[in-house]
Amino acid sequence: MLRIKDFVNIKLYILATLAIPTLIAAVIITAFWNRQAIVLTSGQIIGVEKTWTMFDEVYYEDRSGALDIVQANHVDRIVRAGFTGPEDWHIILKIEIAAHGHFFGFLRSSVFWLSGLGAGILLVLFFLFRKRIVPRTHETPSESVRQDIRAIYISADLPDFNKVLLYFLNLYLLQSGAGKEDRYVYHKVDGKGPLGTTVYEFKIQQKGHWLSRKISIGPIGETSGARSKCFYVIFDDHFVVKMPPEGVTDFDAYVRSIQSDRRIATALAPRECLVPRLSLILKKIPAFSETFDRLHGDDESKTMATLKLLPELRNFLKIGGGYTFFMDLSRHFFLGHILNQCHAVRGGMAHEIEKHQELIWLPAAFADRYGEGAADLCFRLQNLYTLFDEQIKDATIAAYRKKTWFVAMLAHGCGNIASPRIPPEAAAAFEAAKDRHVNTIDDYQSRARTLAATQTYKQNRARIQSICSRLAELLAWLFFKEVAIRDLKPDNLLVVGDPEKYPRFLSTPHEFELGLIDVELAACVGENHSEKSGRPMEQPRIGWTPSYATPSHMLTNEVLQDLYGDTAFILKLQDWHAVVAMIYQTATGKKLFVRSADKLSAMGRDLPRYLGDREKLTCFARKGNPEFWKCAAGEFAEKLDADKDRLAAVHVEVFKNVRKMFASAADKTENRLIRRQMREIPATISARDLIRLMFDYVRECMRV
């Protein structure tokens, strides 16, 4: 539907259509008109070729070549080439039109008018459809971003946390329209934000008034030098900000990386899989939004069109000189955060001590709650209190108040002397007394922590079991989708369920599923991406997270083929190993592979010496692989035994696709016992038996 301003624009185009031919005609006349005109006092105009003035007479030669004379007092003016004013143009045009010559002869022809009519119709049609043919903007690149805007330089040498913080401060300055003269400050706010993030406040002074807003930011999970660093940011929306280890400075390479992640997401559909989106952060840039809103299509196609029109806006995708990836986490939950909540025993320990503080003076009840040997611990705590009481010289302080301070410092420590709950003299007395009873305090806190953890586990057992079941189901989904993620860990997984039912839906595995946040290291490993298909599988990026990885993460496809003969299956088993570690972590709240992760990190430091040489890299793997698996097997057996009761109490529902996965993979091992157990896996199995079977299978297949 045409709007009023569209009709105004059409009118302007029509005027332009008329003005352009007129200008061309003027240029032609100016260039080629070499005649003259005699204007008589009577108003008559005589077109002539030449004129001469002698005494009181004007001689002229007309266009036929005949000579004639007119008295000078009858001549008003003689017009020659040069056109000094509008009257001259009027005279010349009148003569030319009357003569029907040159340009004006063509104007009288039907060819001219038909051509003009056709050109006018085409021009109007072009205007009506131009928005659909070519996206347009009323801004030029130089006008799209204010030149006087306040901006902060972000050095590439800054820590990544600081870079991300300053980037969002710059974004706030831009959104506020802060000028170069406007002041700004930012500072850390007391207290933590969601998911343990740090809260900062940004302030800008404009026209004498201070504007402010807050941002929450924190690192996500475990990283290594070979992996991108990720940050969780709350700034209006919830972001995952991913910074590659080596800054990406080529925009085309940056876009190709995002497109690669999208291909993985498409292969995993309809499983939720977050991938970077250009529009996510750029839509917060005022100059970008003004152009973006006038285009048609989905957000990402409109974004690419805008960046073609205004390429300088690409700079808003950079942090510290390198392109950065932004993902949206507004609708979902981090699995890592949920696991921390399921095993949050630190606050539980303090709660346990303070809730049952009266037991310190009741040895029988204390022993009944805290188990064998606890009666002796109770007497030692009473002795500690006696020393504490003796250090406080003020006899007017009531005993109940001193006991309250004593218990608070047992639960929380006494480092915060300025706390209104604990006066400085009480903190000093506790410090003086505790030196002789350090083991007593540690023993008490350990028992309280264990009991709190047990209580927390009982409360969250259904959630823990559901998450373990879903981890196995996710692995089966990836297995049959022929995709290896190669960097599975709690901080890279989403919990996808009805937000209105959170966290209740976690108690039932059929009410939620696990999605993926980061697929940077993922690879498609199906038949369409194998040597058999004639399309060699692409080499995935080399990278790993030590606590969830194996030496195979460091090897190229060629070396994996040399060692195992089936590159695709080994890449799948990398995810199996990660799920083993995650099920243990879900059930116990602790990392499974710690010593072996250190060994893997040591191998990673040596790796650059062998990359690029197939034979040397193969030798490197043959040497390091057995050492890693010996360490990992010892650590696995040790921790499985230490946590056998907890792991045995976690019952994992084995989904249909999980049983199908085990049956399909069983033939890959020559170990008859493992093969039989995988084929006969029950519908419900303990976490202990499940991860033992999976670990034995992976180790058997990956040993060289």
Side-chain angles (χ1 to χ4, degrees), residues 242-260:
K242 185 174 73 171
M243 303 182 68
E246 297 179 0
V248 179
T249 57
D250 181 72
F251 182 72
D252 291 335
Y254 173 65
V255 172
R256 285 196 299 271
S257 178
I258 294 176
Q259 291 172 341
S260 176

Side-chain angles (χ1 to χ4, degrees), residues 78-339:
I78 298 175
V79 179
R80 297 181 174 86
F83 318 112
T84 57
E87 292 182 1
D88 291 358
W89 275 106
H90 173 73
I91 293 167
I92 298 304
L93 291 175
K94 187 174 181 179
I95 293 173
E96 285 297 310
I97 293 172
H100 302 168
H102 296 281
F103 179 77
F104 295 98
F106 176 68
L107 285 180
R108 294 174 59 86
S109 68
S110 59
V111 174
F112 170 79
W113 291 106
L114 289 175
S115 299
L117 179 61
I121 293 173
L122 290 175
L123 194 62
V124 172
L125 290 175
F126 171 75
F127 170 78
L128 293 176
F129 293 102
R130 70 191 294 271
K131 287 184 178 180
R132 297 187 179 183
I133 300 172
V134 180
R136 63 190 179 94
T137 176
H138 294 299
E139 297 172 317
T140 63
S142 61
E143 296 170 339
S144 62
V145 182
R146 278 178 47 190
Q147 297 301 311
D148 63 339
I149 200 73
R150 190 70 149 114
I152 305 168
Y153 172 69
I154 303 176
S155 170
D157 297 328
L158 287 173
D160 288 335
F161 183 95
N162 297 58
K163 292 179 186 177
V164 176
L165 179 65
L166 291 179
Y167 173 86
F168 281 93
L169 176 55
N170 262 333
L171 181 57
Y172 181 49
L173 293 172
L174 195 66
Q175 291 176 335
S176 303
K180 290 183 178 179
E181 302 302 320
D182 293 331
R183 294 176 54 201
Y184 70 89
V185 294
Y186 67 96
H187 63 91
K188 185 165 64 173
V189 177
D190 292 337
K192 289 289 187 180
L195 278 65
T197 53
T198 303
V199 181
Y200 285 82
E201 184 175 28
F202 297 155
K203 289 186 175 182
I204 304 171
Q205 188 181 41
Q206 290 182 297
K207 298 180 180 179
H209 299 286
W210 284 96
L211 306 175
S212 68
R213 67 154 303 151
K214 292 180 180 178
I215 178 177
S216 296
I217 177 174
I220 299 175
E222 178 182 352
T223 60
S224 97
R227 292 281 294 111
S228 300
K229 291 184 179 179
C230 293
F231 297 88
Y232 177 54
V233 177
I234 304 176
F235 187 88
D236 296 331
D237 299 311
H238 295 239
F239 297 93
V240 174
V241 180
K242 185 174 73 171
M243 303 182 68
E246 297 179 0
V248 179
T249 57
D250 181 72
F251 182 72
D252 291 335
Y254 173 65
V255 172
R256 285 196 299 271
S257 178
I258 294 176
Q259 291 172 341
S260 176
D261 286 1
R262 286 180 185 163
R263 285 194 293 271
I264 296 295
T266 300
L268 293 174
R271 178 76 56 163
E272 189 72 31
C273 184
L274 297 188
V275 295
R277 288 166 46 203
L278 299 177
S279 60
L280 186 64
I281 195 71
L282 288 177
K283 286 168 71 174
K284 298 184 177 296
I285 310 296
F288 175 86
S289 297
E290 292 170 7
T291 302
F292 177 88
D293 292 340
R294 291 198 293 268
L295 303 176
H296 301 283
D298 61 64
D299 283 1
E300 291 303 289
S301 64
K302 289 165 64 177
T303 297
M304 290 303 298
T306 304
L307 291 176
K308 288 180 180 179
L309 291 168
L310 306 171
E312 73 275 16
L313 292 177
R314 297 176 183 178
N315 290 326
F316 292 110
L317 296 167
K318 294 180 179 180
I319 297 181
Y323 285 107
T324 303
F325 301 94
F326 300 89
M327 291 170 279
D328 180 15
L329 197 67
S330 298
R331 296 176 296 135
H332 306 301
F333 310 91
F334 273 122
L335 176 60
H337 175 59
I338 291 174
L339 294 185

Side-chain angles (χ1 to χ4, degrees), residues 50-52 58-70:
K50 298 177 183 179
T51 62
W52 303 269
V58 176
Y59 295 83
Y60 64 87
E61 179 183 326
D62 63 18
R63 293 182 177 179
S64 65
L67 292 175
D68 207 341
I69 303 173
V70 64

Side-chain angles (χ1 to χ4, degrees), residues 611-626:
L611 287 175
D613 189 315
R614 183 171 178 173
E615 291 185 5
K616 288 183 178 180
L617 190 58
T618 302
C619 292
F620 168 77
R622 290 188 181 280
K623 178 183 177 182
N625 199 61

